[in-house]
Amino acid sequence: MTNTGYTPEEPIAAIATALAPGAIGIVRASGKNCIELAAKFFSRPKALLSAAPNTIVYGWIKDPARAEQDCRVDEVMAAVYRAPKSFTGEDMIEIFCHGGVSVVRAVFALFLRNGFRRAERGEFTFRAYINGRTDLTRAEAVREIIESKTDISRTKAAARLSGTLTSEIASVKKLVVDTLASIEVEIEYPEDEENISDTFDPSDLNEARQKLMRLSDSWKSEKLYQDGARVVLCGKTNAGKSSLFNSLLKEDRAIVSDIEGTTRDWLESWADFDGIPVRLFDTAGLRSTSDEIEAKGVELAKDLSSEADVLLYLVDSRTGLSSDDTEFLKAQNDIPIILVWNKCDSPQSKPVPKNDGSLYAECASVSAKRGDGVGELAALVRKILLAGTSSQSGITGLGSERQKASVNEALERVNHALEILSSGEYGLDAVVQDLEDSLDSLGEVTGEVTPDDILGSVFSRFCVGK
């Protein structure tokens, strides 16, 4: 490991809940003799030491260094887990104390003073991995669940945590292994035919290729559900950007006023667009102004617009598109633009202009103030973001760039093996080498074959205590 702090079996401890006032705080520990070490500052050491696996013991955390009359730190519940049936595969103990910051820190300090080391990032999950309690895809899914921003992103991560990706990789490996077995028979008992393709059935290898292609194609949409997208609200003053911002968030975050130039800086917040996490920006209205602060806000609006994944350009439908609107839209290069025809509930609302594809990709009619059409607008944003991705329900997806790279390597080797088989120009030994290389790449996905630097990179991204 590049992280030398990861030392198997050494007793480690960490605060597993946020350091903020709450009902419950959790301090967890794992490693050799961790239960015995914790018994030194538990009010009922015999009960703790004799506790059966997966049971909870009531007691007090006590500070041996303090006088007997005031040595009690907190009234707690201690959960006891014994190897190998624990999260890490080692003996573990978790202290459930009251959730005050001072209390949690005091309990954690007693662990550190009684033989425990402060855990590194992701060290509990790393121990689960090295002790065979999980593989690398499930370990990465733990972090995904913690960082998920929408129900759909959480559901996709939970599927990987349950082993769907591991099972899919295993099915591909079986197809490759079965192919290798057939080739070994071919090598041991060669036929008289000169062409490999006359004697060898590549159907398993073709199926493996299709599975790998689907996995590789899944990453674009999976990454979108994990990382989200930037969606920027832009338009002239009083077009209704702040009203739409509030409507999409379902809360009053931006000040709404008929006075032009109310929004001078930009606001941002995460929003859920039909399952896709979106970083939504409300920007200053586009106009020429002598106000130095507002002018700066206008420039920031233009900068944010140029970096958007999708640009929502709002137009007051009562006044329609102006030459300034048209000029701005034409200046946006390769950014998907949705023309948002706002205030469509007004009797003075004009018809939506005919779209020839030169100014915007899609159009949506809304009333940001009343909320009319806002749900349809979110669905339209989702459609644009998912364009060109593989997002079918029930399809197992990849969960990280690392997995994507390893799957692509395996796919490249399988493709090369099939090219050799179809050409018949090389011997079967060349095919065997390609397929063995593909198995190594697939082993890297689940962690069966994984360099230490990759392990360090994976687990260092976890929070402390997980």
Side-chain angles (χ1 to χ4, degrees):
M1 292 289 303
T2 55
N3 186 338
T4 56
Y6 287 164
T7 306
E9 294 192 340
E10 184 180 8
I12 57 171
I15 298 172
T17 47
L19 266 179
I24 296 176
I26 302 175
V27 179
R28 68 184 338 197
S30 180
K32 189 175 182 180
N33 298 324
C34 73
I35 299 172
E36 289 79 4
L37 291 171
K40 294 179 181 180
F41 50 92
F42 192 68
S43 63
R44 302 174 60 210
K46 290 183 179 179
L48 193 67
L49 292 171
S50 61
N54 304 320
T55 58
I56 293 179
V57 181
Y58 163 80
W60 283 79
I61 294 295
K62 302 174 69 176
D63 186 349
R66 292 163 59 178
E68 181 62 31
Q69 60 268 26
D70 65 353
C71 67
R72 289 177 295 183
V73 175
D74 193 22
E75 188 178 26
V76 303
M77 304 295 286
V80 175
Y81 313 93
R82 299 190 182 274
K85 294 185 177 181
S86 71
F87 175 71
T88 62
E90 305 171 333
D91 283 352
M92 290 186 68
I93 185 169
E94 291 180 334
I95 301 297
F96 297 86
C97 61
H98 291 94
V101 173
S102 176
V103 174
V104 175
R105 282 178 170 163
V107 173
F108 180 51
L110 282 169
F111 276 90
L112 298 183
R113 294 207 304 265
N114 286 274
F116 290 86
R117 167 175 63 76
R118 189 186 300 266
E120 300 285 342
R121 286 179 175 271
E123 189 165 4
F124 290 92
T125 309
F126 170 74
R127 292 190 178 197
Y129 165 71
I130 63 172
N131 290 323
R133 297 293 292 170
T134 189
D135 64 29
L136 217 49
T137 65
R138 288 186 174 100
E140 287 175 301
V142 170
R143 177 184 55 79
E144 289 178 53
I145 287 180
I146 293 172
E147 296 178 356
S148 60
K149 299 178 181 69
T150 68
D151 287 344
I152 291 182
S153 59
R154 173 185 50 77
T155 300
K156 287 175 172 288
R160 281 185 282 275
L161 180 61
S162 71
T164 56
L165 179 55
T166 301
S167 298
E168 186 70 4
I169 293 297
S171 71
V172 176
K173 289 176 69 176
K174 184 179 185 304
L175 292 168
V176 175
V177 169
D178 288 348
T179 302
L180 277 170
S182 299
I183 291 176
E184 291 295 338
V185 171
E186 201 69 35
I187 292 174
E188 290 294 327
Y189 305 101
E191 299 289 342
D192 293 334
E193 287 87 346
E194 295 181 0
N195 195 325
I196 296 173
S197 61
D198 293 336
T199 62
F200 182 77
D201 181 5
S203 57
D204 280 349
L205 211 51
N206 278 314
E207 185 178 351
R209 175 170 63 179
Q210 292 301 316
K211 285 176 174 283
L212 289 171
M213 288 174 63
R214 284 196 295 270
L215 282 174
S216 181
D217 290 343
S218 73
W219 173 236
K220 187 175 180 181
S221 63
E222 295 293 331
K223 188 176 189 300
L224 181 62
Y225 281 109
Q226 285 183 28
D227 298 343
R230 293 167 64 95
V231 175
V232 176
L233 305 177
C234 193
K236 295 172 68 175
T237 55
N238 276 14
K241 297 181 296 300
S242 295
S243 294
L244 182 58
F245 185 75
N246 290 340
S247 189
L248 287 167
L249 294 181
K250 298 180 177 64
E251 61 177 288
D252 291 335
R253 281 289 309 278
I255 297 174
V256 177
S257 171
D258 291 334
I259 301 173
E260 292 189 347
T262 303
T263 304
R264 296 188 170 199
D265 203 348
W266 48 267
L267 298 176
E268 66 171 289
S269 183
W270 284 101
D272 184 343
F273 276 42
D274 283 357
I276 295 177
V278 163
R279 193 177 171 193
L280 187 65
F281 293 85
D282 179 24
T283 64
L286 302 176
R287 68 168 180 169
S288 298
T289 176
S290 58
D291 187 302
E292 184 178 346
I293 296 176
E294 186 183 353
K296 180 62 175 177
V298 171
E299 290 305 313
L300 285 172
K302 293 177 180 178
D303 291 342
L304 286 169
S305 298
S306 67
E307 298 170 355
D309 293 305
V310 175
L311 180 63
L312 302 184
Y313 192 84
L314 273 74
V315 174
D316 186 336
S317 63
R318 297 172 303 179
T319 57
L321 272 175
S322 68
S323 58
D324 289 338
D325 294 322
T326 303
E327 181 180 349
F328 179 84
L329 291 171
K330 286 182 177 179
Q332 308 311 304
N333 297 321
D334 302 324
I335 298 175
I337 299 173
I338 299 177
L339 183 69
V340 182
W341 206 244
N342 191 26
K343 306 179 184 180
C344 63
D345 56 319
S346 171
Q348 290 80 40
S349 179
K350 296 181 179 181
V352 178
K354 186 176 180 181
N355 180 20
D356 61 2
S358 62
L359 294 180
Y360 53 91
E362 300 280 356
C363 182
S365 295
V366 305
S367 170
K369 188 175 181 178
R370 290 180 15 177
D372 299 347
V374 172
E376 291 80 359
L377 174 61
L380 192 55
V381 172
R382 182 179 186 273
K383 171 189 168 185
I384 290 176
L385 290 172
L386 288 174
T389 69
S390 174
S391 58
Q392 305 98 315
S393 61
I395 297 296
T396 301
L398 299 176
S400 70
E401 294 275 8
R402 181 196 68 80
Q403 296 169 11
K404 161 81 167 174
S406 294
V407 164
N408 281 352
E409 289 174 7
L411 177 59
E412 182 180 346
R413 302 323 307 166
V414 168
N415 281 334
H416 191 251
L418 285 167
E419 289 173 8
I420 293 174
L421 288 170
S422 64
S423 68
E425 294 180 4
Y426 302 96
L428 288 174
D429 288 341
V431 178
V432 169
Q433 184 62 59
D434 275 331
L435 298 188
E436 288 178 346
D437 289 344
S438 73
L439 288 175
D440 285 344
S441 295
L442 293 172
E444 288 185 4
V445 176
T446 55
E448 297 166 76
V449 181
T450 306
D452 285 350
D453 59 337
I454 290 181
L455 293 180
S457 173
V458 168
F459 291 102
S460 65
R461 297 176 61 192
F462 282 58
C463 57
V464 175
K466 195 56 187 161

